[in-house]
Amino acid sequence: MEQPHSIPDPAHPPAQAIHHELRTATNSAAFLLPRLSALKAHNPHLKLLDLGAGSGSISTTLAQTLPDGHVTGIDIKPDILPRARAVAELAGVTNIDFQQGDARQLAFEDGSFDVVFCHQMLTHVSAPWEVLREMLRVAKAGGIVAAREGDLETECVWPEMPGLVKFHRFAADVMSAAGGTATAGRQLLGWALRAGARRSQVEVSYSSWAYCTTSDRETWAKGLVNLVRGGPLRERGLKMGLTTEEDLEEMARDWEEWAGRDDASLAMLHGEVLIQK
């Protein structure tokens, strides 16, 4: 029988949140920040919706950039919301709230938000253009819909240790088996057009993440080791028959070794869209 989830301890993020909490508005929404500043100059009381907020590090840092506005973060998983609230509380951010919600059927009226944002969420859903359509629906006229998604097939890691190569393929297979896509970044523009946006409304850009410093490597590797040794990724992979206990342990050992190597680095490309409503 599945055990009930405990409320996350603010000092101990759950396994899936360790590397997620490296994400901030600065490193994960930089493409949005200039437009956000321009909107704020005309209306300091902006309302921003963050879909798939997870443990709330991006939502919280976005709220810090909007001291007179308000951020609402939603996530489909209720067990991550206590952690998100704790992250905001620890940062002293009060102009924010977190709710459970389904991005495919948002419980908000048309034109409710000045900015609607998501990060690394569309890659996990089977019909991402439908989510973008919902995002456009709840955005105000003159508002912005913004999305940034990784492109897992562009990931480059060195050294190419056997366990890391297996992990890359395993992560892509689990994502695809669950209805997501490993090439979300390069498909964002197509999804936006399918959602009903005109090409003239959409700005496209690309940026990357890189994990090269000792602290970044250690944090990244720790999160993945926890996932393959006891997290939901491990459970899904074993249940779907996409991996074995032996392969998972090899992945964990190689991530641990990778984190301690001076020649180790990792990077991945991300696609970004800004849609003017």
Side-chain angles (χ1 to χ4, degrees):
M1 179 182 296
E2 183 179 355
Q3 296 299 310
H5 294 286
S6 60
I7 295 176
D9 181 346
H12 299 92
Q16 69 270 26
I18 290 173
H19 63 271
H20 288 177
E21 290 178 19
L22 292 172
R23 303 171 182 174
T24 66
T26 300
N27 65 31
S28 300
F31 73 108
L32 170 62
L33 295 181
R35 190 67 67 87
L36 202 59
S37 294
L39 289 172
K40 185 172 65 172
H42 292 284
N43 174 19
H45 306 292
L46 295 175
K47 294 176 64 178
L48 185 149
L49 177 65
D50 182 10
L51 306 185
S55 53
S57 59
I58 300 178
S59 311
T60 296
T61 49
L62 283 169
Q64 289 174 325
T65 72
L66 300 172
D68 298 313
H70 189 85
V71 171
T72 297
I74 70 167
D75 201 280
I76 199 167
K77 298 178 180 178
D79 56 337
I80 198 62
L81 298 181
R83 175 62 187 174
R85 295 179 183 118
V87 166
E89 183 178 354
L90 288 168
V93 173
T94 58
N95 59 327
I96 193 168
D97 71 283
F98 292 97
Q99 308 173 17
Q100 183 183 9
D102 187 340
R104 296 165 295 189
Q105 293 181 308
L106 294 171
F108 302 106
E109 295 182 359
D110 296 0
S112 295
F113 296 91
D114 300 284
V115 180
V116 186
F117 171 79
C118 71
H119 184 274
Q120 301 286 50
M121 186 267 291
L122 298 174
T123 191
H124 296 292
V125 300
S126 57
W129 50 89
E130 293 181 359
V131 174
L132 284 167
R133 190 176 295 125
E134 271 290 270
M135 294 171 72
L136 285 164
R137 180 184 68 79
V138 300
K140 295 179 181 180
I144 294 291
V145 169
R148 183 176 191 256
E149 296 292 329
D151 198 302
L152 188 58
E153 295 299 343
T154 69
E155 183 184 75
C156 58
V157 61
W158 188 263
E160 292 182 326
M161 303 161 72
L164 306 192
V165 174
K166 285 183 180 180
F167 177 83
H168 175 89
R169 191 69 264 152
F170 168 57
D173 288 346
V174 170
M175 186 179 293
S176 297
T181 174
T183 57
R186 71 189 71 177
Q187 296 191 61
L188 269 178
L189 173 58
W191 293 345
L193 298 178
R194 188 166 179 180
R198 298 185 305 276
R199 182 62 184 88
S200 59
Q201 293 176 271
V202 188
E203 292 182 17
V204 182
S205 57
Y206 285 86
S207 60
S208 64
W209 271 347
Y211 299 92
C212 304
T213 68
T214 299
S215 60
D216 283 352
R217 292 196 312 268
E218 289 176 349
T219 303
W220 179 260
K222 179 182 178 183
L224 296 182
V225 168
N226 287 349
L227 283 176
V228 299
R229 282 189 171 148
L233 183 66
R234 170 193 178 89
E235 296 169 7
R236 289 196 295 268
L238 290 171
K239 185 176 181 179
M240 294 175 180
L242 298 175
T243 189
T244 65
E245 298 275 4
E246 294 75 16
D247 281 348
L248 287 167
E249 185 56 31
E250 181 183 10
M251 295 176 203
R253 287 197 308 268
D254 280 2
W255 276 121
E256 288 174 333
E257 181 181 342
W258 176 85
R261 292 186 58 149
D262 288 339
D263 63 342
S265 64
L266 180 148
M268 184 170 67
L269 197 64
H270 290 65
E272 304 156 345
V273 293
L274 287 172
I275 309 173
Q276 179 71 54
K277 176 73 178 284

